[in-house]
Amino acid sequence: MKLTGVELRRISMPLVAPFRTSFGTQTSRDILLVRVTTDAAEGWGECVAMTDPLYSSEYVDAAADVLRRFLVPAVLAAGPPAAHSVAGILAPFKGHRMAKAALEMAVLDAELRAEGRSFGRELGAVRDRVPCGVSVGIMDGVPELLDAVGGYLAEGYVRIKLKIEPGWDVEPVRAVRERFGDDLLLQVDANTAYTLGDARHLARLDPFDLLLIEQPLDEEDVLGHVELARRIRTPICLDESITSARDAAAAIRLGACQVVNIKPGRVGGYLEARRIHDVCAAHGIPVWCGGMLETGLGRAANVALAALPGFTLPGDTSASGRYYASDVTEPFVLDDGHLVVPTGPGLGLAPVPDRLAEVTTATEWLTG
Ligand code: NPQ
Ligand code: MG
């Protein structure tokens, strides 16, 4: 397979409703897509970096810059690219995992399309559909929250994740537990909004039998999570702190987490994501697939990943309609609380040209 060029494409997608987290409120998503062309097939990658560096240090303009100046030229210069060699080619460039992940995803998609194999088959999927959870933003009040959760449960979502922050934690959790009952699979995500000084407060979540609390402390505060784990009963799940399989192994060994959220963008790609799955499985640590408000492209790959055997908890692999009234691909639609794992070559789906054109704000073509 010969790589003939790389397109960087920026798209702008309005969200169906504002999404508020402890780091801010998003009303639309500015996404960088990567399309690689080869002599055999084209491939699509999606960069999950946000417009602003609020979730992590990465942001979309920086991702485009590092791809344009360093990552794409290195891959174009390396000769016939095999998806499994991309991470090694990019290793001299520090960080920028979301940018690297998007490029590796595009090369992997092209390779799999050329060979007629799906992401699911390549990654090791063992299920043909995956159960889906939904991430529910911080609301103006408890009545609005109960309406939103009720709506998602009516749609079929099998697990609810509440975004929390200081001042919006125990009361919303109590209200959702009381309204929807003890059988509801319920978890919370703080996106680093607390400190170890909040341990006694966070212990007040213990009576509500949450599946987990996700990333309560700073991303670099692994030892803080070890200490917090001794002071609360709710299992700790790390998201932002885990950027590689090596990190995951260390966090598990230290006792910093009992569960891991795997996001391929955060860790540099789907192949590293699979290694994290393997490390966690070897330690008996359950994992689930996170979400970064992906279009159907990233969503397709996430659903394939979530079909691996160690993904024993429902993920944030929601339907397209959770975020977008109109997706760039055919939308993912919930069927009895599940999404079907695509089986076609590569991602198993591609952008609908008219839809893609409607949301595109800029394109840039790179050749060797
Ligand atoms: C998380 N995702 O698990 C993230 C955080 C997040 C589904 O809760 C724009 C782009 C808005 C990426 C909001 C979910 C976002 C975003 C939240 C990621 O921590
Ligand atoms: Mg999270």
Side-chain angles (χ1 to χ4, degrees), residues 127 131 185 211 258-260 277 280-281 284-289 305-315:
R127 290 183 277 266
L185 300 182
L211 288 167
Q258 290 75 52
V259 183
V260 171
H277 162 273
C280 291
I285 295 286
V287 302
W288 53 280
C289 184
L305 180 70
L308 269 62
F311 284 78
T312 54
L313 291 168

Side-chain angles (χ1 to χ4, degrees), residues 54-129:
L54 299 176
Y55 165 81
S56 74
S57 65
E58 288 183 71
Y59 62 100
V60 67
D61 281 336
D65 189 70
V66 77
L67 278 159
R68 179 189 304 123
R69 294 172 60 183
F70 302 106
L71 308 184
V72 170
V75 168
L76 284 170
H84 286 77
S85 66
V86 168
I89 294 165
L90 302 181
F93 305 107
K94 308 295 188 190
H96 297 283
R97 288 181 172 84
M98 293 176 179
K100 291 175 177 178
L103 182 53
E104 185 196 70
M105 176 183 166
V107 173
L108 182 57
D109 184 38
E111 189 173 294
L112 294 175
R113 283 183 204 262
E115 295 170 3
R117 292 152 61 221
S118 69
F119 260 70
R121 176 166 166 200
E122 170 66 16
L123 294 174
V126 295
R127 290 183 277 266
D128 55 15
R129 55 181 214 149

Side-chain angles (χ1 to χ4, degrees), residues 110-303:
E111 189 173 294
L112 294 175
R113 283 183 204 262
E115 295 170 3
R117 292 152 61 221
S118 69
F119 260 70
R121 176 166 166 200
E122 170 66 16
L123 294 174
V126 295
R127 290 183 277 266
D128 55 15
R129 55 181 214 149
V130 300
C132 297
V134 62
S135 178
V136 184
I138 295 166
M139 304 272 164
D140 291 336
V142 165
E144 292 89 336
L145 176 68
L146 294 176
D147 282 353
V149 171
Y152 290 129
L153 292 174
E155 285 182 53
Y157 286 104
V158 304
R159 182 228 67 187
I160 297 292
K161 160 169 140 182
L162 303 182
K163 290 294 198 177
I164 60 168
E165 65 182 4
W168 181 263
D169 43 36
V170 177
E171 288 322 310
V173 166
R174 183 199 313 282
V176 169
R177 197 39 109 203
E178 280 177 3
R179 170 69 68 90
F180 299 103
D182 292 343
D183 291 343
L184 175 67
L185 300 182
L186 183 63
Q187 64 192 55
V188 293
D189 185 359
N191 289 111
T192 78
Y194 296 89
T195 69
L196 200 49
D198 297 313
R200 269 156 52 101
H201 179 70
L202 292 174
R204 294 178 57 206
L205 294 170
D206 286 348
F208 300 109
D209 279 319
L210 300 177
L211 288 167
L212 56 92
I213 179 169
E214 184 179 344
Q215 199 69 43
L217 311 180
D218 189 83
E219 65 175 287
E220 294 178 356
D221 195 6
V222 173
L223 288 180
H225 286 96
V226 175
E227 183 55 36
L228 182 62
R230 297 195 180 112
R231 302 199 204 168
I232 66 175
R233 275 209 305 277
T234 307
I236 292 177
C237 171
L238 291 178
D239 173 357
E240 286 90 329
S241 292
I242 305 296
T243 61
S244 66
R246 183 196 282 144
D247 277 2
I252 292 164
R253 166 84 84 89
L254 288 166
C257 62
Q258 290 75 52
V259 183
V260 171
N261 167 336
I262 301 183
K263 287 176 181 167
R266 195 191 66 225
V267 306
Y270 285 87
L271 302 178
E272 184 71 7
R274 179 173 58 185
R275 284 191 280 275
I276 296 180
H277 162 273
D278 295 348
V279 163
C280 291
H283 287 87
I285 295 286
V287 302
W288 53 280
C289 184
M292 291 291 283
L293 287 56
E294 288 87 349
T295 71
L297 298 169
R299 202 164 293 284
N302 285 349
V303 168

